């Protein structure tokens, strides 16, 4: 949507030069496009939907500010919903590993986590008074971006560390003494393959953290009903 892109470019014109601002700009554009899609689904024409989305975001001065007033309850509900979704994905992916010793504990552990998140989500959804969904909480948007960046950095370090450790564990002697690798059978090969592949499943954690700045923008009280559900 070129008109939305131009609108967002104009809003951020005086805030150029920061990587965080560029990330924030992308999040704002993404939320505007999602709002337009919702309005079109509700029966508005594309032109009317775009105009209404623009009208609800005439300025981003309050968005660029460090602290923001957000509707905490719906933000927390959606964050839990995403956590449950990612947890279920991890649980389904690790189901075949139940034939492998540690895979049993991992799979059932993920199932327990999904159950816990699901219970908390249902409690918030069913037993929280509707009026509390309009209660505001101050959140630090800069900290949210920092948390997202830190999550990806820690994940990258974790992956590098686990790959080095796994290689040293299974092939350290072969590399040190320059002896050929000898795999005795498919079960040993499967163990090594799982040991290398399983840590990559943890990417769901930084992906979950990735959504926090977007949700802060989505439920920002300063944007009126732009992100109202």
């Amino acid at each position: 949507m070129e008109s939305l892109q131009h609108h967002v470019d104009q809003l951020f014109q005086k805030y150029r030069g920061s990587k965080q601002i560029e990330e924030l700009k992308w999040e704002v554009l993404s939320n505007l496009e999602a709002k337009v899609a919702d309005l079109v689904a509700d029966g508005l024409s594309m032109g009317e939907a775009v105009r209404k989305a623009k009208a609800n975001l005439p300025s981003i001065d309050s968005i660029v500010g460090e602290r923001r007033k957000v509707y905490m309850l719906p933000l927390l509900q959606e964050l839990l919903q995403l956590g449950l979704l990612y947890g279920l994905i991890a649980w389904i992916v690790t189901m075949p590993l139940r034939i492998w010793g540690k895979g049993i504990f991992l799979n059932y552990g993920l199932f327990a986590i999904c159950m816990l998140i699901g219970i908390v989500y249902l409690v918030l959804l069913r037993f929280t008074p509707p009026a509390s969904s309009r209660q505001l909480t101050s959140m630090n948007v800069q900290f949210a971006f920092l948390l997202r960046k830190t999550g990806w950095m820690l994940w990258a370090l974790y992956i590098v560390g686990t790959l080095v450790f796994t290689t040293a564990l299974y092939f350290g002697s072969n590399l040190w003494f320059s002896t050929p690798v000898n795999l005795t059978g498919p079960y040993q090969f499967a163990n090594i393959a799982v040991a290398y592949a399983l840590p990559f499943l943890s990417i769901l954690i930084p992906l979950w953290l990735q959504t926090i700045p977007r949700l802060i923008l989505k439920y920002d009280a300063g944007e009126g009903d732009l992100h109202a559900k």
Side-chain angles (χ1 to χ4, degrees):
M1 301 177 186
E2 294 184 5
S3 60
L4 284 180
Q5 178 72 61
H6 178 71
H7 179 65
V8 173
D9 287 340
Q10 292 297 315
L11 292 176
F12 280 86
Q13 189 170 10
K14 65 178 180 180
Y15 294 105
R16 291 177 180 175
S18 167
K19 183 179 179 181
Q20 180 179 310
I21 291 296
E22 290 300 316
E23 292 177 346
L24 186 59
K25 178 179 175 181
W26 183 88
E27 297 285 0
V28 169
L29 178 60
S30 177
N31 282 336
L32 280 175
E33 290 175 343
K35 177 60 180 177
V36 169
D38 289 341
L39 292 172
V40 170
D42 289 339
L44 291 182
S45 66
M46 178 62 70
E48 291 174 335
V50 170
R51 283 193 295 273
K52 186 170 182 180
K54 288 181 180 179
N56 280 305
L57 188 60
S59 170
I60 47 87
D61 292 337
S62 62
I63 296 178
V64 177
E66 182 175 349
R67 301 198 69 85
R68 311 270 291 285
K69 293 290 186 179
V70 299
Y71 297 110
M72 189 61 187
L73 181 60
L75 185 152
L76 184 59
Q77 287 174 342
E78 186 163 347
L79 197 60
L80 286 171
Q81 191 178 43
L82 288 170
L84 179 60
L85 174 63
Y86 290 155
L88 288 172
I89 291 173
W91 175 62
I92 292 171
V93 169
T94 56
M95 274 185 176
L97 300 182
R98 287 188 293 188
I99 62 173
W100 181 61
K102 295 180 181 179
I104 298 174
F105 297 101
L106 176 63
N107 186 253
Y108 283 107
L110 287 169
F111 179 74
I113 292 173
C114 289
M115 290 292 293
L116 179 61
I117 295 175
I119 291 171
V120 175
Y121 174 71
L122 289 175
V123 168
L124 288 178
L125 198 63
R126 295 178 59 88
F127 300 106
T128 305
S132 64
S133 65
R134 309 305 294 175
Q135 293 179 355
L136 300 177
T137 301
S138 179
M139 297 192 70
N140 191 319
V141 67
Q142 293 184 8
F143 177 76
F145 278 105
L146 178 62
L147 182 64
R148 183 171 75 176
K149 181 179 179 181
T150 303
W152 282 109
M153 291 177 61
L154 291 176
W155 179 78
L157 290 173
Y158 167 72
I159 290 299
V160 171
T162 54
L163 291 179
V164 171
F165 175 78
T166 302
T167 301
L169 180 65
Y170 287 101
F171 306 111
S173 60
N174 301 90
L175 296 173
W176 183 260
F177 297 106
S178 300
T179 57
V181 176
N182 182 25
L183 298 179
T184 57
Y187 182 76
Q188 184 186 11
F189 176 80
N191 273 335
I192 295 174
V194 167
Y196 273 104
L198 203 56
F200 286 92
L201 192 62
S202 63
I203 195 174
L204 295 174
I205 296 175
L207 284 175
W208 183 67
L209 295 176
Q210 177 88 9
T211 64
I212 295 178
R214 177 179 63 83
L215 293 179
I216 292 177
L217 290 174
K218 182 175 182 179
Y219 296 106
D220 179 21
E223 297 181 38
D225 63 348
L226 174 61
H227 308 296
K229 291 289 184 178

